[in-house]
Amino acid sequence: MPLPLVIGAVLAGTVGVGSGLHGVAKMKNANETIKIAEQLHQENTARFDEMSVKANKVMDALGELELKILNSFEYFSDLIERIQNRPEFVAYNRENVKLPQYDKEQLKNVSVGAGILLGGLGGAAAGTAAGFAAAGATTSAVTAFGMASTGTAIESLSGVAAINATLAVLGGGTVAAGGGGIALGTTVLSAATLGVGLMIGGIIFNGVGIKLSNNADEAYIQMEEAEKKINQICSYLDKLSDEASKYIEMLTIVKDKYEEQLYSLSSILNKKSSWNEFSPHERLVTQNTVLLVGLLYNMCKVCLVRKPGNGKDINTINKTEIHKMIRGAKKVLGEEIHVN
């Protein structure tokens, strides 16, 4: 073979080997890029899961606490009804702090509704009580006392059936009324979306649960997009956990004071039942108990979050109402007539 041809063949072979090595290098880099993207996405998802569990735990604790408080109101109402010749307990309205007037039926309804929901929590998934807290436990309890989509009174249901019926209404109404029914309610409110208070737009969850592309560049872009969403969610969940913890702290202070006064009222009624026989001290105990019930009723009514109108964005934390209620609670406790 002429020398020039031999040299040409060698050169051609050398170029071929170089191209092959470059291709292998690209494949190796691509595989490494995909592995890095997958690892980062797994870490981001794990961080998201950790924040979700934390937020669910705090919000569930708040929801259950509120339902237990509301459930106690029937006992309180029964005590008040035992007082003969009692005066009309007027509503509290001072400096933008308004508390409802004593209403026997209203308290009974919310108490029964709260009891229904409490009875169903044992078999419900994590995040269910969180949903009730976020939507306002008082509203949730009243809803539970209402009607299910079948026309059956929810109060005649029990367990998960009652929970589902309530979720249907809170989720947008019954199908017959043009809402989404139980299916939508469960989607919006159940643990699958971290409760109504923790609900994030579906687009975000799709981002969190993505299966990264086999294409290195696309996989990394997907990971980065999901990371932005996860960062946004985690920031929201962290702030929500913080606000819920503050609310639990204030609610517990009021609850403890209420239970103390409720016990004193019960002790009084074990000895006498006529308001005319009550001492000034005993009348103050009664009035304070009524005042605290109104305060707790309103505190449990607060929605901790607001759902976005477009249904896609992250919920917003209802800080304005939360902080307003905490300030109001401190004011009521400060003005409450303390008795020994």
Side-chain angles (χ1 to χ4, degrees):
M1 180 181 295
L3 186 59
L5 293 180
V6 172
I7 294 175
V10 172
L11 288 174
T14 303
V15 172
V17 171
S19 299
L21 291 174
H22 179 65
V24 171
K26 286 184 65 176
M27 289 179 61
K28 182 179 180 181
N29 291 336
N31 288 334
E32 288 180 350
T33 298
I34 291 176
K35 287 181 180 179
I36 291 173
E38 288 177 345
Q39 180 179 351
L40 290 174
H41 186 62
Q42 288 174 2
E43 292 174 357
N44 289 331
T45 302
R47 179 163 51 87
F48 164 79
D49 290 339
E50 182 179 353
M51 291 301 302
S52 300
V53 170
K54 176 186 174 183
N56 259 326
K57 186 175 181 179
V58 176
M59 288 293 290
D60 270 338
L62 175 58
E64 190 167 356
L65 174 62
E66 290 184 329
L67 290 176
K68 286 180 178 178
I69 289 171
L70 295 174
N71 189 225
S72 73
F73 286 173
E74 185 171 16
Y75 174 69
F76 157 77
S77 182
D78 288 342
L79 287 180
I80 293 296
E81 292 302 310
R82 286 169 56 186
I83 303 175
Q84 301 171 10
N85 305 311
R86 67 180 182 275
E88 182 178 353
F89 299 109
V90 298
Y92 179 100
N93 187 355
R94 299 180 191 173
E95 298 182 22
N96 297 323
V97 179
K98 299 180 181 181
L99 303 181
Q101 187 173 3
Y102 169 73
D103 186 323
K104 175 187 174 182
E105 290 304 315
Q106 184 182 58
L107 293 179
K108 178 183 177 182
N109 290 352
V110 77
S111 178
V112 172
I116 292 169
L117 296 181
L118 281 170
L121 288 181
T128 302
F132 295 135
T138 299
T139 300
S140 301
V142 171
T143 301
F145 191 76
M147 300 296 291
S149 59
T150 58
T152 304
I154 295 180
E155 61 189 82
S156 68
L157 303 175
S158 62
V160 177
I163 292 286
N164 284 343
T166 306
L167 294 179
V169 178
L170 295 176
T174 63
V175 174
I182 290 178
L184 175 62
T186 303
T187 300
V188 173
L189 297 166
S190 75
T193 48
L194 306 177
V196 63
L198 315 181
M199 186 195 73
I200 313 299
I203 185 172
I204 301 236
F205 272 82
N206 288 338
V208 172
I210 62 172
K211 185 179 185 307
L212 298 180
S213 170
N214 291 326
N215 180 285
D217 292 336
E218 290 181 4
Y220 207 85
I221 291 173
Q222 284 179 294
M223 181 279 295
E224 289 182 321
E225 291 177 349
E227 185 175 57
K228 290 178 183 178
K229 296 174 183 178
I230 290 173
N231 288 341
Q232 189 180 14
I233 297 172
C234 287
S235 175
Y236 166 79
L237 294 177
D238 186 48
K239 293 175 182 177
L240 181 59
S241 297
D242 185 54
E243 292 296 332
S245 295
K246 292 177 184 176
Y247 208 64
I248 288 175
E249 182 179 1
M250 191 71 246
L251 190 62
T252 300
I253 291 173
V254 179
K255 177 189 74 74
D256 289 346
K257 187 63 180 175
Y258 155 68
E259 290 178 346
E260 175 188 317
Q261 298 296 286
L262 190 65
Y263 177 80
S264 297
L265 179 59
S266 177
S267 298
I268 293 169
L269 287 169
N270 285 335
K271 302 173 184 176
K272 61 188 74 174
S273 59
S274 174
W275 181 260
N276 297 331
E277 298 176 359
F278 280 26
S279 68
H281 168 87
E282 292 167 338
R283 291 184 179 187
L284 290 178
V285 169
T286 307
Q287 291 167 341
N288 282 341
T289 309
V290 173
L291 183 67
L292 291 169
V293 165
L295 176 58
L296 287 169
Y297 184 93
N298 275 9
M299 290 186 76
C300 295
K301 195 174 182 180
V302 171
C303 299
L304 261 70
V305 300
R306 296 293 185 188
K307 289 187 288 185
N310 58 20
K312 294 182 179 180
D313 296 330
I314 292 180
N315 288 347
T316 57
I317 302 171
N318 195 8
K319 287 186 178 181
T320 300
E321 193 65 25
I322 293 170
H323 295 174
K324 178 182 177 182
M325 186 57 67
I326 289 177
R327 290 193 301 270
K330 290 179 178 178
K331 180 174 179 57
V332 171
L333 290 179
E335 291 189 359
E336 175 201 8
I337 304 173
H338 296 283
V339 293
N340 297 320

